[in-house]
mmCIF file of all heavy atoms in Angstrom:
data_model
loop_
_atom_site.group_PDB
_atom_site.id
_atom_site.type_symbol
_atom_site.label_atom_id
_atom_site.label_comp_id
_atom_site.label_asym_id
_atom_site.label_seq_id
_atom_site.Cartn_x
_atom_site.Cartn_y
_atom_site.Cartn_z
ATOM 1 N N PHE H 555 -13.290 -4.921 -14.375
ATOM 2 C CA PHE H 555 -12.452 -6.011 -13.765
ATOM 3 C C PHE H 555 -13.228 -6.781 -12.685
ATOM 4 O O PHE H 555 -13.320 -7.986 -12.657
ATOM 5 C CB PHE H 555 -11.131 -5.499 -13.207
ATOM 6 C CG PHE H 555 -10.153 -5.211 -14.373
ATOM 7 C CD1 PHE H 555 -10.206 -3.959 -14.979
ATOM 8 C CD2 PHE H 555 -9.110 -6.040 -14.684
ATOM 9 C CE1 PHE H 555 -9.286 -3.714 -16.057
ATOM 10 C CE2 PHE H 555 -8.276 -5.787 -15.642
ATOM 11 C CZ PHE H 555 -8.384 -4.643 -16.303
ATOM 12 N N GLY H 556 -13.726 -6.032 -11.745
ATOM 13 C CA GLY H 556 -14.459 -6.641 -10.495
ATOM 14 C C GLY H 556 -15.730 -7.275 -10.982
ATOM 15 O O GLY H 556 -15.942 -8.462 -10.614
ATOM 16 N N GLY H 557 -16.503 -6.591 -11.885
ATOM 17 C CA GLY H 557 -17.672 -7.322 -12.386
ATOM 18 C C GLY H 557 -17.437 -8.570 -13.109
ATOM 19 O O GLY H 557 -18.141 -9.595 -13.014
ATOM 20 N N SER H 558 -16.406 -8.630 -13.959
ATOM 21 C CA SER H 558 -15.947 -9.764 -14.714
ATOM 22 C C SER H 558 -15.639 -10.919 -13.799
ATOM 23 O O SER H 558 -16.103 -12.101 -14.011
ATOM 24 C CB SER H 558 -14.915 -9.489 -15.671
ATOM 25 O OG SER H 558 -15.262 -8.583 -16.696
ATOM 26 N N ALA H 559 -14.799 -10.624 -12.775
ATOM 27 C CA ALA H 559 -14.344 -11.651 -11.868
ATOM 28 C C ALA H 559 -15.570 -12.222 -11.071
ATOM 29 O O ALA H 559 -15.641 -13.440 -10.865
ATOM 30 C CB ALA H 559 -13.233 -11.062 -10.856
ATOM 31 N N LEU H 560 -16.445 -11.334 -10.587
ATOM 32 C CA LEU H 560 -17.582 -11.733 -9.808
ATOM 33 C C LEU H 560 -18.547 -12.578 -10.671
ATOM 34 O O LEU H 560 -19.111 -13.559 -10.209
ATOM 35 C CB LEU H 560 -18.228 -10.633 -9.149
ATOM 36 C CG LEU H 560 -17.488 -9.808 -8.010
ATOM 37 C CD1 LEU H 560 -18.173 -8.559 -7.626
ATOM 38 C CD2 LEU H 560 -17.414 -10.838 -6.853
ATOM 39 N N HIS H 561 -18.717 -12.190 -11.898
ATOM 40 C CA HIS H 561 -19.566 -12.929 -12.781
ATOM 41 C C HIS H 561 -18.966 -14.501 -12.994
ATOM 42 O O HIS H 561 -19.696 -15.443 -12.979
ATOM 43 C CB HIS H 561 -19.537 -12.356 -14.175
ATOM 44 C CG HIS H 561 -20.204 -13.167 -15.321
ATOM 45 N ND1 HIS H 561 -21.630 -13.266 -15.331
ATOM 46 C CD2 HIS H 561 -19.789 -13.927 -16.262
ATOM 47 C CE1 HIS H 561 -21.890 -14.027 -16.381
ATOM 48 N NE2 HIS H 561 -20.767 -14.415 -17.018
ATOM 49 N N MET H 562 -17.596 -14.517 -13.137
ATOM 50 C CA MET H 562 -17.066 -15.877 -13.324
ATOM 51 C C MET H 562 -17.216 -16.634 -11.966
ATOM 52 O O MET H 562 -17.442 -17.907 -12.024
ATOM 53 C CB MET H 562 -15.549 -15.747 -13.594
ATOM 54 C CG MET H 562 -15.186 -15.103 -14.848
ATOM 55 S SD MET H 562 -13.496 -14.841 -14.975
ATOM 56 C CE MET H 562 -13.272 -13.906 -16.600
ATOM 57 N N ILE H 563 -17.113 -15.999 -10.818
ATOM 58 C CA ILE H 563 -17.230 -16.789 -9.593
ATOM 59 C C ILE H 563 -18.645 -17.160 -9.240
ATOM 60 O O ILE H 563 -18.977 -18.336 -8.812
ATOM 61 C CB ILE H 563 -16.551 -15.992 -8.452
ATOM 62 C CG1 ILE H 563 -15.066 -15.859 -8.648
ATOM 63 C CG2 ILE H 563 -16.784 -16.696 -7.080
ATOM 64 C CD1 ILE H 563 -14.436 -14.711 -7.779
ATOM 65 N N HIS H 564 -19.590 -16.092 -9.346
ATOM 66 C CA HIS H 564 -20.894 -16.383 -8.958
ATOM 67 C C HIS H 564 -21.924 -16.973 -9.959
ATOM 68 O O HIS H 564 -22.658 -17.847 -9.675
ATOM 69 C CB HIS H 564 -21.542 -15.086 -8.369
ATOM 70 C CG HIS H 564 -20.939 -14.505 -7.167
ATOM 71 N ND1 HIS H 564 -21.176 -15.228 -5.920
ATOM 72 C CD2 HIS H 564 -20.140 -13.569 -6.940
ATOM 73 C CE1 HIS H 564 -20.485 -14.525 -4.907
ATOM 74 N NE2 HIS H 564 -19.836 -13.561 -5.478
ATOM 75 N N ASN H 565 -21.692 -16.544 -11.226
ATOM 76 C CA ASN H 565 -22.660 -16.946 -12.320
ATOM 77 C C ASN H 565 -22.108 -18.286 -13.026
ATOM 78 O O ASN H 565 -22.837 -19.021 -13.436
ATOM 79 C CB ASN H 565 -22.861 -15.891 -13.239
ATOM 80 C CG ASN H 565 -23.643 -14.708 -12.549
ATOM 81 O OD1 ASN H 565 -24.058 -14.793 -11.525
ATOM 82 N ND2 ASN H 565 -23.600 -13.624 -13.263
ATOM 83 N N LEU H 566 -20.741 -18.296 -13.095
ATOM 84 C CA LEU H 566 -20.189 -19.557 -13.820
ATOM 85 C C LEU H 566 -19.615 -20.497 -12.943
ATOM 86 O O LEU H 566 -19.156 -21.483 -13.411
ATOM 87 C CB LEU H 566 -19.077 -18.922 -14.759
ATOM 88 C CG LEU H 566 -19.460 -17.888 -15.894
ATOM 89 C CD1 LEU H 566 -18.352 -17.489 -16.807
ATOM 90 C CD2 LEU H 566 -20.596 -18.360 -16.678
ATOM 91 N N GLY H 567 -19.649 -20.291 -11.638
ATOM 92 C CA GLY H 567 -19.244 -21.398 -10.728
ATOM 93 C C GLY H 567 -17.793 -21.638 -10.662
ATOM 94 O O GLY H 567 -17.347 -22.731 -10.162
ATOM 95 N N GLN H 568 -16.914 -20.680 -11.048
ATOM 96 C CA GLN H 568 -15.468 -20.849 -11.047
ATOM 97 C C GLN H 568 -14.918 -20.339 -9.697
ATOM 98 O O GLN H 568 -14.169 -19.393 -9.647
ATOM 99 C CB GLN H 568 -14.910 -20.118 -12.233
ATOM 100 C CG GLN H 568 -15.234 -20.754 -13.538
ATOM 101 C CD GLN H 568 -14.836 -19.953 -14.716
ATOM 102 O OE1 GLN H 568 -14.661 -18.670 -14.615
ATOM 103 N NE2 GLN H 568 -14.721 -20.506 -15.908
#
Side-chain angles (χ1 to χ4, degrees):
F555 283 83
S558 298
L560 290 172
H561 172 77
M562 293 173 186
I563 295 167
H564 290 288
N565 296 349
L566 302 182
Q568 294 170 337

